[in-house]
Amino acid sequence: MNFTITRKNLHQGLAAVSASIPTKTTLPVLSNILLEATDGQVRISGTDLDVGVRTRTPAEVGQEGVLTAPGKKLQEIARELPDEPVQVTSQGDQIELRCGRSRFKLNGLPADDFPNLPEVSFEEGWNAPGQVLLSLVQHTAFAVSTEESRPILNGVLWELKDGQMRMVATNGHRLAKMTVPAGSSAQGGAELIVPPAALQQVQRLFEKENEVHVGRDANHLGFRSGNTEVYTRLIEGTYPNYEQVIPKDNDKWAVVDRESFASAVRRMAVVASDQTHRIRIGFHQGAMRLTVLTPDLGEGEDEIEIQYEGEPLEIGFNAAYLLEVLRYMDTEEVKMGFKAPERAATIEPVRPDGEEGGVEYLCLVMPLRLLD
Amino acid sequence: MFFVQVARLEDPEGVGRTPLLMVGGSPSGRGVITSASYEVRAYGVRSGMPTAQALRLCPEATVVPVPRGACAERSRAVRSVLEELAPVVQAASIDEFYLDLSGMERLLRGESLEETAHRIRRRVLEGTRISVSIGGSTRKMVAKLAAGEAKPAGVHIVPPGGEAAFMRRFRLAQIPGVGPAFLSALEAKGLSTVEDILPVKLTWLERWFGSTRGRWLYHRVRGEDPSPVSPGEDRKSVSSERTFPRDLVDRAEMERALLDLSASVGRGLRKRGLRARTVTLKARTTRFRNRTVSRTLPEPVESDTALFQVARELLASVLEGRRPGYRLLGVSASNLVEAEEGAQLALFQEEAVESERDRILSRAADRLRTRFGEGALRPGRMVEPNPRGREEDTDGA
């Protein structure tokens, strides 16, 4: 193998892939990236076996070939090289880089040891505008569970049906759901449970302005945009029936200024228990009263103006969950809905009529039980 | 000695008259000595020693089982006497208490700390017939070590300002909180006594043993211990473990043992109004290797069902790819929260590790056991399979 590439292209390609390389691995070849020089381009791939990234970059290929080499080291070298063409040559399992007067030799491993990225067909997939896909990911992926006890909740549910595209994530205590019109791009239905690590790569690598092609096989999903592809295994199983837990009969509504609500919750959180993050919120006509009482620590209280008409209501919350949800609401005001202190509360953005654009965003937060 | 004293009080005509007395498990199985009389200790017998070995050292000794109920009762009696005499009493274990006498200076005017200690010793003896040893100091750790110096049946007071000098007599292994791992790290640096450590600068201790441990040790060897005497010492964990008369190799048998241990931990939690987020399984192999695995749950649990469920999964992970053969199993619950403190409600009831039903069931079982005795209710799984081999459904709760 032998090719010449600009330093910039080499570095960009390596940077795109190296984030998919696991930091700790029992399989040494996974610390490496796969370089494949073919007709006028170099393909660079990296994977941790769950998520894989592949990118193509133009190069002057003298002799075609494949090789694996230590990903992070290559990237660090490419970053430090002068801005001149880089000549890359393989010598057995070693890779040699020459750039100006610099020369490096790194030990690689046989390319046969490198795992194959899934063969996902993009022909039968669908397209999504980058902006839409990235917005769905950004507004939901934060809510996935990080506990190992319920693997299914470690993924984001991605649904395509009835001309709509939807992502849902939950850890069983709070839930985020966003629905957008899918347009004509998505034919047929799909229900996929996607590891958030793959969606993070999508967020990191793809541009809002570009269309993203999505392809799948039975167990894998692939994203392609521009010269870059992200592959992931899908999480198997049935996602819990989230529709069932979304309250339909909430009858108490509060409209709250998002920023002043969030800062009041942050203040209360300082004195909340490190374990439960429990704060108490009282909804009264025109006012929200926040209190916190933590044995052995102390107490705090605060009040902000809100629009609220219903009967007074006292409800306990994990402050961390509230703050997280509020961070992803991108409107000045949010609307909260309740039925009773021990039922799920809804939080949604308040947009002026006609500005929704068919986008629905809803978060649920399950309260903490209050004793007295 | 507490256990020996209680055993004697329980049977004054029998073991009450035996000087060579040991309290502990049976020598035929894997029992260990809980406590031995001073006469037996002269033969080299120590607590924690296998009973069979202890009997080889002192064949004439009598071994009696630990009178558990009586011990708990006597311990409560000692505590209530102590509570009459001191404003703050902390039970450190069944036979160890800390008293904080601060604030009693005016009441105790004219009485030295030594005289006070002797008076407390007399009162406990009169009220409970238990003879205690008392150590006194301005610091908890020093008082504990002083109590050791006071044995048998005496008083040892370390005068204020004399803490550092008092500490000089100890080996590092004697300092409460210095465990085997720390000890071998210390020995690797050639440090085995308090005297060895005193000339070492704090920065070196921090560099060698980490900043927390280094600093901790630096202060302890100088008799400095900031911890207060607190009556409701926070519990860090509730656990239960058992050494089996013979090694367990059968999975079903191990699971039965786990069910029993989980139930005992569950009862311990509920009795104290606690829930646990972390469940730990300890398994000691035939070759004395300890395997410890734990899992932290999304929500704290308290029911036998949930604890057992997690313990069983942990056991499966321990057994995976390993040859079975375990002499000891233990279940421990930690990361504790008050049961009612801000319980997080779940969106998906069926997904929860523990349902409201599990909790109600466990609490109902507790009430039945309190009323009709420990054996009143047992999980079907715990019933031994029919020896005549008739098939019976022994599964379920």
Side-chain angles (χ1 to χ4, degrees), chain B residues 84-298:
Chain B
E84 284 170 29
L85 301 171
V88 185
V89 177
Q90 173 190 340
S93 71
I94 193 164
D95 62 346
E96 233 180 357
F97 299 89
Y98 290 102
L99 314 187
D100 185 352
L101 300 175
S102 316
M104 294 185 68
E105 293 83 356
R106 286 167 64 109
L107 277 171
L108 302 177
R109 202 170 26 189
E111 191 180 66
S112 72
L113 197 54
E114 186 127 14
E115 286 163 341
T116 309
H118 280 291
R119 184 166 53 82
I120 293 173
R121 230 188 77 73
R122 268 198 314 277
R123 285 281 298 276
V124 174
L125 189 59
E126 287 161 12
T128 67
R129 301 178 63 201
I130 296 289
S131 162
V132 296
S133 302
I134 297 180
S137 169
T138 55
R139 298 280 171 262
K140 250 169 104 173
M141 176 202 58
V142 180
K144 182 181 165 72
L145 288 168
E149 298 291 292
K151 287 175 184 177
V155 165
H156 188 109
I157 304 295
V158 178
E163 295 87 355
F166 171 74
M167 290 303 294
R168 286 172 172 263
R169 68 184 75 181
F170 293 102
R171 282 176 294 110
L172 297 173
Q174 291 172 284
I175 295 182
V178 177
F182 196 3
L183 207 57
S184 57
L186 287 161
E187 272 161 9
K189 295 280 176 217
L191 304 168
S192 61
T193 65
V194 169
E195 287 280 0
D196 292 340
I197 297 262
L198 289 173
V200 182
K201 285 208 173 79
L202 175 61
T203 49
W204 283 105
L205 292 179
E206 288 182 334
R207 199 172 302 176
W208 289 338
F209 310 114
S211 63
T212 314
R213 260 193 338 175
R215 184 174 294 272
W216 181 88
L217 185 67
Y218 181 85
H219 292 294
R220 292 305 151 112
V221 295
R222 286 164 175 77
E224 293 160 17
D225 168 20
S227 54
V229 176
S230 54
E233 180 87 321
D234 278 353
R235 269 209 165 242
K236 299 275 189 287
S237 68
V238 175
S239 58
S240 180
E241 60 179 54
R242 214 181 131 201
T243 304
F244 304 102
R246 53 180 179 80
D247 292 347
L248 298 191
V249 287
D250 177 42
R251 178 132 174 194
E253 206 175 14
M254 280 188 250
E255 289 192 355
R256 268 203 297 279
L258 277 193
L259 184 56
D260 205 19
L261 294 166
S262 307
S264 145
V265 170
R267 237 169 300 159
L269 285 172
R270 295 188 296 274
K271 204 169 84 189
R272 296 175 179 89
L274 297 171
R275 284 190 190 158
R277 274 199 68 198
T278 303
V279 179
T280 304
L281 172 78
K282 176 166 137 192
R284 183 174 297 156
T285 67
T286 310
R287 293 180 183 172
F288 279 87
R289 287 241 172 86
N290 283 334
R291 307 205 188 283
T292 314
V293 278
S294 55
R295 174 171 309 158
T296 298
L297 305 165

Side-chain angles (χ1 to χ4, degrees), chain A residues 193-259:
Chain A
I193 304 171
V194 191
L199 298 174
Q200 268 167 23
Q201 294 293 347
V202 168
Q203 265 187 309
R204 196 175 69 85
L205 295 169
F206 295 166
E207 308 279 340
K208 270 202 298 212
E209 295 73 24
N210 296 339
E211 192 86 345
V212 179
H213 308 283
V214 185
R216 66 170 296 196
D217 69 7
N219 308 316
H220 297 93
L221 198 63
F223 301 86
R224 173 191 284 169
S225 185
N227 289 326
T228 303
E229 290 151 19
V230 174
Y231 296 93
T232 178
R233 78 180 165 84
L234 290 166
I235 298 175
E236 286 171 44
T238 311
Y239 205 76
N241 185 349
Y242 66 88
E243 287 289 1
Q244 202 180 311
V245 301
I246 296 177
K248 314 277 184 294
D249 55 351
N250 279 356
D251 54 5
K252 300 177 181 66
W253 301 98
V255 176
V256 189
D257 179 79
R258 186 181 63 95
E259 192 39 57

